[in-house]
């Protein structure tokens, strides 16, 4: 097996992540910086994956499937919040999901409910991390 520098740069972070090591990519490091709770981090990552799957389903014009994946994503973010109540990232994720649902809502009542939900998540995230630009967004 050839061990080129490019292969090592590609494989090492993934191996460390699987073994419970520290993540090396900037985005993952920044998101992970707010928690030391491995369970919360894993749930958050699963929530992000479900959110991305929902966005993909929207691209395929599968709104029902997308909303189902958004619900799964929200549940995973909620579990992540329960696992580490002092970490703002899951609340930020839930706020973004609510915003996305508000933008996709057809009925004004659904839109208003999603906006109110998003604002509640945003308020919690800002309370946990006042200087965090993502929480303020």
């Amino acid at each position: 097996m050839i061990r080129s520098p490019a292969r090592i740069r590609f494989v090492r972070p993934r191996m460390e992540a699987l073994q419970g090591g520290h993540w090396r990519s900037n985005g993952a490091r920044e998101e992970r910086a707010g928690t030391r709770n491995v369970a919360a981090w894993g749930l958050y990552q699963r929530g992000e994956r479900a959110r991305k799957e929902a966005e993909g389903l929207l691209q395929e014009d599968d709104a029902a499937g997308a909303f189902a994946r958004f619900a799964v994503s929200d549940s995973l973010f909620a579990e992540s919040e329960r696992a580490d109540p002092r970490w703002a990232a899951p609340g930020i994720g839930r706020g973004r999901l609510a915003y996305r649902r508000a933008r996709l809502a057809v009925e004004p009542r659904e839109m208003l409910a999603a906006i109110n939900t998003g604002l509640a998540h945003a308020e919690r995230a800002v309370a946990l991390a006042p200087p965090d630009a993502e929480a303020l967004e």
Side-chain angles (χ1 to χ4, degrees):
M1 177 186 327
I2 299 172
R3 294 192 175 163
S4 69
R7 181 175 171 80
I8 291 169
R9 281 192 307 273
F10 177 79
V11 172
R12 181 175 288 148
R14 286 150 184 83
M15 291 293 292
E16 288 175 352
L18 290 172
Q19 295 168 352
H22 297 287
W23 285 259
R24 301 263 187 232
S25 73
N26 288 340
R29 187 175 344 138
E30 288 170 11
E31 288 173 346
R32 176 97 199 273
T35 187
R36 293 177 189 217
N37 185 314
V38 176
W41 173 248
L43 290 161
Y44 176 82
Q45 288 299 303
R46 289 174 52 205
E48 273 297 305
R49 192 172 321 121
R51 183 194 59 77
K52 289 175 183 175
E53 290 168 0
E55 293 295 343
L57 290 168
L58 284 174
Q59 294 298 318
E60 298 170 8
D61 291 326
D62 182 0
F67 274 88
R69 291 308 293 167
F70 280 140
V72 169
S73 178
D74 187 63
S75 294
L76 290 164
F77 286 148
E79 287 183 53
S80 180
E81 274 186 308
R82 283 190 293 278
D84 186 350
R86 295 175 297 171
W87 187 31
I92 293 168
R94 294 184 80 192
R96 286 184 175 159
L97 284 174
Y99 172 77
R100 187 70 170 122
R101 280 186 246 164
R103 300 276 308 194
L104 296 168
V106 176
E107 297 292 323
R109 184 176 299 150
E110 292 171 6
M111 187 181 303
L112 183 60
I115 289 169
N116 288 333
T117 299
L119 287 173
H121 293 309
E123 287 173 3
R124 278 196 318 280
V126 169
L128 291 169
D132 189 324
E134 294 207 27
L136 294 169
E137 187 179 301

